[in-house]
Every structure is written in structure tokens, then in C-alpha cells.
Amino acid sequence: MENFLFLEGAYLILGGIILLVTLFVSTRPFMSKGAWKKGLFWVTVVLAVMIGAHYSITMNRMAEVKSAFEKGQEIICESRMQRKVAQTVTIQKTNDWSLENDNFVSPNYSRPFFVARCIVK
């Protein structure tokens, strides 16, 4: 559950805002009677499916990256430290990288990389 809230927290907040906008629009006088029930139901269903699919895809990619790292394959992670040069970092088990929880760490690099922000090369 912690991973779900960490990975999907921003989307849950945006979904809440979308539901509030749906409620506001569907309760206006020009809308048909009961429109708010239908509107909230369908928007909730669509948001739940989209957020659930995003979580599932992200968790599958994380498992794939962890598995590839353990096999010694190269992993590419986004580097947010310098946006102009070296926007990616290549991670390999043979280059002193290790996997701690869901983060790649190295004694030669100042910050960890979260597995969800990485892909297999």
C-alpha cells in the first residue's frame, strides 16, 4: 500500500480535483436531474481504471528492472541533478551499484535512484 500511495499520490489528488469539477458542473441548473450521480459514477470508474492500470504497469516495469539488474544487464535511470548534460545514468551491478529496497545506490554517486524511474537498456 505504501508503494501505491507513493507512486500514485499525485494522480489520486488530480482525480479528486476532477471529481470535484464533475460534481460542480453536474449540479448546475442546466444539467438534467440526476446527472451528478451518473457523472460521478462514470468519472470515478474511468479514473479508477486508469490509475489502477498505471500502477500495474509501473509495478511490472519495476520488477523487470530489478530482475535485469540482478542478471547484470544495464539499467538506464533519469538523472535530475543536471538537466543540460548527462540526463541519464547507466547502472550496472559490476560498477559498484547495489539495490537497497527500491533504490539503486552507489558509493561513487551522491544520490540514489528510484527503480520506478528506470528502464532496462
Side-chain angles (χ1 to χ4, degrees):
M1 188 63 164
E2 181 182 328
N3 265 349
F4 180 76
L5 293 176
F6 183 74
L7 293 171
E8 305 301 322
Y11 298 115
L12 292 172
I13 292 169
L14 287 173
I17 292 169
I18 290 169
L19 286 173
L20 288 174
V21 169
T22 302
L23 181 63
F24 178 77
V25 170
S26 62
T27 57
R28 298 297 94 200
F30 56 84
M31 297 296 288
S32 63
K33 192 172 187 174
W36 68 273
K37 290 179 187 176
K38 293 176 191 173
L40 283 181
F41 174 76
W42 287 110
V43 171
T44 301
V45 167
V46 168
L47 288 173
V49 167
M50 291 173 71
I51 291 172
H54 183 265
Y55 178 72
S56 176
I57 290 168
T58 302
M59 291 304 290
N60 289 339
R61 187 178 67 245
M62 286 174 63
E64 179 185 341
V65 167
K66 287 179 185 179
S67 173
F69 177 75
E70 293 300 328
K71 292 177 184 174
Q73 294 178 332
E74 287 187 3
I75 308 297
I76 299 173
C77 292
E78 175 186 24
S79 175
R80 295 183 178 178
M81 287 180 69
Q82 297 177 353
R83 289 308 237 173
K84 295 178 183 170
V85 180
Q87 292 183 354
T88 60
V89 173
T90 303
I91 293 175
Q92 266 188 310
K93 203 172 196 177
T94 57
N95 293 339
D96 294 332
W97 286 94
S98 62
L99 185 60
E100 293 179 5
N101 295 326
D102 288 334
N103 292 306
F104 290 117
V105 294
S106 172
N108 304 324
Y109 207 80
S110 61
R111 69 181 213 80
F113 291 94
F114 189 54
V115 175
R117 307 295 174 243
C118 302
I119 59 171
V120 179
K121 184 172 184 180

